[in-house]
């Protein structure tokens, strides 16, 4: 079938044609937006799960919902800001830069007093991580108050920024939505600051909604950063889709294009993907390309599933495997015997005939590369479903 019209969207963060099975979380977000607009507060939320289950696209749907109501939205990725491209300013720089465009959009001389103060605060925040660059909002901020988000203490500066920007946004009836993806990659100080800001927002009635997304280790690292984190957030585990939702993820995008899946074809693909959103998109794409006319039949699904598997092996899994050094691959192999469930680090060491401490660097590097995570202390697990299977299919190097 016409590849140009192919509605499936495999790839990190790519918005699916049909975002299914997440109604509860999206409804809760909508209620949060409503509450804040009516002067109440809403609990911050943590979305956690393996790679490829749809955390980023869910977070983006939160962003869209907030932006459609005219909220100021900052969606950032933790860890990304530590690279040279972001000036090494980490979460501080990422949040600051994400707010620039929405603030520019609202900056005009007729803006309310609070919005103008927020601009001043944003300028001071910018100066706290970027001494060379500055922003010009094109309005006179001589007498407006604000500022002071440049003490260098992240918790204090971020709180001031969030408070003032939220107050400015609320002048238009909205608020500020702060969305942090890959939050497990934030430093302990950044996580502590995020918790402190979310906590202050709830206690002091700031018009702010916070959502964090990350790997299954995120609830644990948050609790380590601030002991009250356990009670602060609503924790939502994001997992593979239920069979019904998986069917919808395949069928709905096709129906919209006038294409029909036979029952047998859908069943085959749902079973082959285990309902993992990334895999559904990949397999759906291959099945579509395989089919002729306007029906995806069982035979198409069989070929499409085989091609989907090959595409995952060549891309999704292979790219991760190739990122690991020889020593790290040996570590991953030793884990693979346990499937996706996770393995005690001591067990990995025993299988490799090594001391646990001597494998610390390999383990730390694999975590930094996003290939494994620690579901609990002393345990390692793969960050993507099906990685163990893939590794067992690889010829020994
Ligand atoms: N609820 C969903 N329904 C259908 N497809 C989805 C859903 N969530 C995610 N996807 C698809 O799965 C893939 C991975 O999504 P992404 O948000 O990047 O996952 P994560 O952030 O958890 O790694 C993308 O191709 C996306 O289109
Ligand atoms: Mg993601």
């Amino acid at each position: 079938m016409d590849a140009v019209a192919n509605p499936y969207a495999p790839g990190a963060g790519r918005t699916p044609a049909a975002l299914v099975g997440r109604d509860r979380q999206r409804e809760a977000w909508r209620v949060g937006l409503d509450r804040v607009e009516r002067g109440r507060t809403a609990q911050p939320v943590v979305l956690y799960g393996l790679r490829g289950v749809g955390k980023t696209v869910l977070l983006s749907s939160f962003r869209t919902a907030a932006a459609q109501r005219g909220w100021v939205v900052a969606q950032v990725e933790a860890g990304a800001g530590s690279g040279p491209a972001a000036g090494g300013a980490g979460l501080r720089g990422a949040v600051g830069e994400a707010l620039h465009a929405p603030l520019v959009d609202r900056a005009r001389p007729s803006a309310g007093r609070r919005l103008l103060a927020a601009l001043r605060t944003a300028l001071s925040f910018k100066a706290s991580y970027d001494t060379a660059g500055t922003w010009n909002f094109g309005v006179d901020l001589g007498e407006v108050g604000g500022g002071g988000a440049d003490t260098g203490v992240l918790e204090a500066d971020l709180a001031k920024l969030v408070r003032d920007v939220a107050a400015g946004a609320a002048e238009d009836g909205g608020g500020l939505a702060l969305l942090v993806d890959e939050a497990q990659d934030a430093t302990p100080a950044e996580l502590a600051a995020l918790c402190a800001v979310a906590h202050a927002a709830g206690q002091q009635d700031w018009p702010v909604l916070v959502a964090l997304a990350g790997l299954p280790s995120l609830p644990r690292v948050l609790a380590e950063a601030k002991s009250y984190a356990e009670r602060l957030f609503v924790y939502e585990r994001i997992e593979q889709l239920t069979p019904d939702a998986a069917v919808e993820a395949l069928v709905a995008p096709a129906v919209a294009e006038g294409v029909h899946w036979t029952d047998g074809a859908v069943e085959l693909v749902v079973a082959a993907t285990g309902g993992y959103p990334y895999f559904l998109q990949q397999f759906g794409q291959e099945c579509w390309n395989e089919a002729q006319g306007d029906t995806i039949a069982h035979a198409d699904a069989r070929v499409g599933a085989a091609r989907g598997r090959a595409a995952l092996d060549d891309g999704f899994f292979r790219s991760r495997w190739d990122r690991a050094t020889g020593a790290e691959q040996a570590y991953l192999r030793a884990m693979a015997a346990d499937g996706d469930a996770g393995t005690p680090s001591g067990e990995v060491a025993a299988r490799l005939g090594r001391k646990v401490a001597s494998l610390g660097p390999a383990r730390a590097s694999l975590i930094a590369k996003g290939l494994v995570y620690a579901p609990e202390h002393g345990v390692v697990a793969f960050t993507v479903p099906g990685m163990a299977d893939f590794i067992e299919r690889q010829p020994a190097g």
Side-chain angles (χ1 to χ4, degrees), residues 177-390:
L178 177 59
L179 309 169
V180 182
D181 205 357
E182 306 289 358
Q184 80 285 335
D185 288 340
T187 65
E190 290 171 345
L191 290 166
L194 287 170
C195 289
V197 167
H199 190 238
Q203 290 210 317
Q204 297 169 43
D205 290 344
W206 300 348
V208 171
L209 275 183
V210 176
L212 312 182
L215 289 173
S217 50
L218 181 54
R220 182 175 55 75
V221 299
L222 282 168
E224 285 166 6
K226 285 277 188 200
S227 56
Y228 58 71
E230 264 175 78
R231 285 155 287 136
L232 177 62
F233 295 98
V234 180
Y235 290 91
E236 287 281 354
R237 186 178 191 106
I238 307 300
E239 296 185 281
Q240 63 267 50
L241 298 171
T242 62
D244 284 352
V247 168
E248 201 190 336
L250 288 172
V251 170
V255 167
E257 299 289 332
V259 170
H260 166 78
W261 285 77
T262 67
D263 289 348
V266 176
E267 261 167 49
L268 187 154
V269 173
V270 169
T273 58
Y276 278 103
Y278 192 109
F279 301 170
L280 284 164
Q281 298 298 329
Q282 185 80 60
F283 284 43
Q285 173 175 285
E286 307 301 332
C287 292
W288 174 284
N289 289 342
E290 187 55 33
Q292 310 289 325
D294 55 10
T295 297
I296 300 176
H298 193 264
D300 306 320
R302 229 179 23 234
V303 179
R307 296 224 165 111
R309 234 173 257 123
L312 290 178
D313 275 10
D314 291 345
F316 190 74
F317 294 121
R318 170 83 45 208
S319 65
R320 292 186 158 76
W321 183 239
D322 288 348
R323 235 181 286 156
T325 64
E328 290 162 8
Q329 288 186 351
Y331 193 101
L332 296 174
R333 260 186 212 285
M335 290 171 60
D338 295 315
D340 289 338
T343 311
S345 319
E347 183 60 34
V348 175
R351 284 175 195 165
L352 293 171
R354 300 270 303 272
K355 292 231 158 49
V356 177
S358 76
L359 291 171
R363 179 177 181 274
S365 171
L366 287 167
I367 290 177
K369 290 176 179 175
L371 298 177
V372 307
Y373 72 100
E376 50 191 292
H377 277 293
V379 178
V380 280
F382 294 109
T383 55
V384 298
M387 191 71 196
D389 261 5
F390 170 81

